[in-house]
Amino acid sequence: MRVTQGCFSFLPDLSDAQISAQIDYCLSKGWAIGVEYTDDPHPRNTYWEMWGHPMFDLRDAKGVMIELDACRKAEPEAYIRLVAFDSTRGFETVTMSFIVNRPKVEPALTMSRTEVDGRSIRYTHQLVR
Amino acid sequence: MSQMIDLQAEFEASGAREVLEALDAELIGLAPVKARIRETAALLLVDRARRSLGLAAQTPTLHMSFTGNPGTGKTTVAQMMAGLLHRLGYVRKGHLVSVTRDDLVGQYIGHTAPKTKEVLKRAMGGVLFIDEAYYLYRPDNERDYGQEAIEILLQVMENNRDDLVVILAGYADRMALFYNSNPGFRSRIAHHIDFPDYGEDELARIGEGMMEAQNYVLSEGAKAALAEYIALRRVQPQFANARSIRNALDRARLRQANRLFSRGGVVEAAALSTIEAEDIRASRVFHGGLETARKGDAA
């Protein structure tokens, strides 16, 4: 099942040239870019592993692409995303995030229902590999 | 061949003319350097035209070596070179990242590679200017981490020729030694540009230009004093061309401020922006030179 989270996730996977163009856009906005990866794409898994430090002082997308290539090489079967961090006072948050690498076979998400307190239902989601 | 390209139009359109004109206008002297940069610009322009007609496929090697004494304008020229390469489309962003050994070489094992890579990532799409590059190589210490930085640099200079241009700078004699012991660098650097020392009148013009940029005026007496100062200072040790002049003028501003302040009362704008002869003549250069004065106090 294709995981859809972050920008562009309903589009076909971005090519490297398209990723570079998106990074250039982020850099032109003055955002810092971090590379993050995980093997657990559950929507509640907010904090992915960081691949090195976020890059605060880049001018060109190539610097990120070098790190992304290194990360892909080390974790070819992981989800990898790029997060752009806006340090403007008042924002100080991630403003953009998109997946740039997926495993060949993606896990599926299943939903299970639990009846509690009579007929009330609690929902939870789980990854199924 | 039926295809044609108008080099002059290309030159105008690229905006390289502005950079070359700025180079002429802002830099005093340095005639051989300007000539070399003009040649390089012409080469790059022709190469670009050839590429657009499909006659050449590869990016030419653009890594450079700037050799010359301190204060001869290497960093300034590197800045302009970055602008020129950007206008001609050889680097994508055209920024200059200026580093020295400290920025590239780590302090313990395993520290150097990430540090060097960090700098290289920052320089991608622009120009990496390594000042006093010969410090990277310490022949007296075979365990020096500089070697590791050199290897990473060489690899990137070869593989990422489209992404960044590396300029190595330093004293001519020590750079020659450096290239002899690191043949990898010499073969990867296509352009060697030598920066000559400035003449006395050039230094005087540079000094006046610096003061003008900060809205100061040199009085006639001060101009004469500056000319004398330059003649005396040049033959003394540790002379760093334009940088020495800038430092001397900074100290002259200090003395001028002190003079105006200790006099007290009302000051007019003209006095605030005029450097007088006495401000320059108070320098220790006029009183026996640097060595004798250094032991006492710094004037």
Side-chain angles (χ1 to χ4, degrees), chain A residues 66-117:
Chain A
I66 290 174
E67 288 300 328
L68 175 57
D69 288 341
C71 184
R72 276 175 174 163
K73 213 165 150 187
E75 307 281 344
E77 282 296 302
Y79 285 91
I80 304 176
R81 70 181 176 194
L82 298 182
V83 290
F85 176 81
D86 183 355
S87 60
T88 314
R89 185 157 166 75
F91 286 85
E92 293 150 321
T93 181
V94 168
T95 50
M96 183 168 159
S97 157
F98 55 101
I99 293 177
V100 289
N101 194 64
R102 296 164 181 279
K104 269 186 220 72
V105 183
E106 298 194 42
L109 273 177
T110 57
M111 186 184 69
S112 48
R113 301 175 180 83
T114 315
E115 277 193 51
V116 290
D117 306 335

Side-chain angles (χ1 to χ4, degrees), chain A residues 24 57 59-60 62 67, chain B residues 92-93 121-122 124:
Chain A
D24 266 330
D57 46 8
R59 295 287 297 271
D60 189 77
K62 184 70 188 177
E67 288 300 328
Chain B
R92 288 189 298 270
K93 295 294 183 317
K121 263 173 8 193
R122 200 144 47 91
M124 283 294 161

Side-chain angles (χ1 to χ4, degrees), chain A residues 35-77:
Chain A
V35 179
E36 296 181 350
Y37 66 98
T38 188
D39 58 357
D40 174 21
H42 191 281
R44 294 292 190 209
N45 177 21
T46 314
Y47 302 112
W48 293 18
E49 315 289 335
M50 291 167 73
W51 180 265
H53 300 292
M55 290 163 267
F56 281 92
D57 46 8
L58 293 190
R59 295 287 297 271
D60 189 77
K62 184 70 188 177
V64 178
M65 295 309 285
I66 290 174
E67 288 300 328
L68 175 57
D69 288 341
C71 184
R72 276 175 174 163
K73 213 165 150 187
E75 307 281 344
E77 282 296 302

Side-chain angles (χ1 to χ4, degrees), chain B residues 220-283:
Chain B
E220 282 308 311
K223 277 184 192 170
L226 182 63
E228 269 179 63
Y229 175 90
I230 291 167
L232 286 170
R233 183 67 186 87
R234 269 187 72 170
V235 293
Q236 287 177 5
Q238 284 159 21
F239 176 62
N241 286 287
R243 200 172 300 144
S244 291
I245 302 305
R246 190 181 63 206
N247 292 345
L249 290 171
D250 281 349
R251 287 191 292 272
R253 280 169 49 204
L254 198 77
R255 290 189 206 101
Q256 182 236 25
N258 200 24
R259 169 168 61 84
L260 292 175
F261 183 69
S262 55
R263 202 178 56 191
V266 187
V267 206
E268 52 192 312
L272 277 176
S273 56
T274 309
I275 302 280
E276 295 290 350
E278 59 190 281
D279 301 328
I280 291 173
R281 286 195 189 275
S283 164

Side-chain angles (χ1 to χ4, degrees), chain B:
Chain B
M1 181 160 283
S2 61
Q3 295 161 298
M4 287 202 285
I5 226 164
D6 184 353
L7 277 182
Q8 200 59 37
E10 280 276 292
F11 180 59
E12 298 286 343
S14 65
R17 173 191 285 279
E18 285 97 79
V19 179
L20 290 178
E21 272 169 5
L23 186 78
D24 263 342
E26 286 170 32
L27 292 183
I28 292 163
L30 294 179
V33 175
K34 287 175 183 171
R36 273 304 302 271
I37 291 178
R38 234 162 245 291
E39 285 168 20
T40 312
L43 171 76
L44 295 182
L45 198 67
V46 168
D47 196 82
R48 195 168 83 142
R50 281 169 57 87
R51 270 206 287 178
S52 66
L53 295 182
L55 292 172
Q58 280 211 325
T59 319
T61 306
L62 288 168
H63 305 307
M64 299 176 204
S65 158
F66 287 1
T67 50
N69 290 327
T72 44
K74 295 188 289 289
T75 312
T76 316
V77 171
Q79 196 90 51
M80 291 185 165
M81 189 54 98
L84 184 70
L85 291 173
H86 177 53
R87 303 277 174 103
L88 290 173
Y90 285 93
V91 291
R92 288 189 298 270
K93 295 294 183 317
H95 60 292
L96 184 79
V97 175
S98 182
V99 296
T100 55
R101 179 190 157 94
D102 288 353
D103 301 296
L104 296 170
V105 179
Q107 287 161 343
Y108 40 84
I109 290 182
H111 189 205
T112 302
K115 223 175 159 183
T116 306
K117 282 182 183 150
E118 200 64 35
V119 167
L120 287 168
K121 263 173 8 193
R122 200 144 47 91
M124 283 294 161
V127 172
L128 177 65
F129 181 78
I130 305 177
D131 209 1
E132 302 189 273
Y134 38 75
Y135 282 131
L136 286 177
Y137 177 69
R138 293 248 169 98
D140 44 321
N141 181 359
E142 62 183 37
R143 287 197 202 158
D144 185 60
Y145 301 141
Q147 196 60 40
E148 204 180 337
I150 289 177
E151 273 153 28
I152 296 171
L153 269 175
L154 285 176
Q155 199 187 340
V156 168
M157 281 166 79
E158 191 59 38
N159 297 342
N160 296 58
R161 274 189 293 175
D162 299 341
D163 298 313
L164 92 164
V165 169
V166 177
I167 298 180
L168 304 176
Y171 295 104
D173 48 342
R174 302 184 69 176
M175 285 306 280
L177 215 67
F178 176 70
Y179 289 131
N180 281 337
S181 36
N182 295 281
F185 269 118
R186 199 171 28 182
S187 59
R188 279 175 183 83
I189 287 175
H191 306 273
H192 291 261
I193 301 182
D194 200 41
F195 286 63
D197 281 345
Y198 289 111
E200 280 173 31
D201 52 329
E202 286 168 352
L203 285 170
R205 269 159 56 207
I206 289 169
E208 280 165 38
M210 284 173 185
M211 289 326 255
E212 212 171 286
Q214 301 181 58
N215 283 325
Y216 277 95
V217 194
L218 294 172
S219 70
E220 282 308 311
K223 277 184 192 170
L226 182 63
E228 269 179 63
Y229 175 90
I230 291 167
L232 286 170
R233 183 67 186 87
R234 269 187 72 170
V235 293
Q236 287 177 5
Q238 284 159 21
F239 176 62
N241 286 287
R243 200 172 300 144
S244 291
I245 302 305
R246 190 181 63 206
N247 292 345
L249 290 171
D250 281 349
R251 287 191 292 272
R253 280 169 49 204
L254 198 77
R255 290 189 206 101
Q256 182 236 25
N258 200 24
R259 169 168 61 84
L260 292 175
F261 183 69
S262 55
R263 202 178 56 191
V266 187
V267 206
E268 52 192 312
L272 277 176
S273 56
T274 309
I275 302 280
E276 295 290 350
E278 59 190 281
D279 301 328
I280 291 173
R281 286 195 189 275
S283 164
R284 63 188 164 173
V285 169
F286 288 102
H287 309 110
L290 292 174
E291 275 119 326
T292 46
R294 178 149 292 156
K295 293 183 196 88
D297 73 327

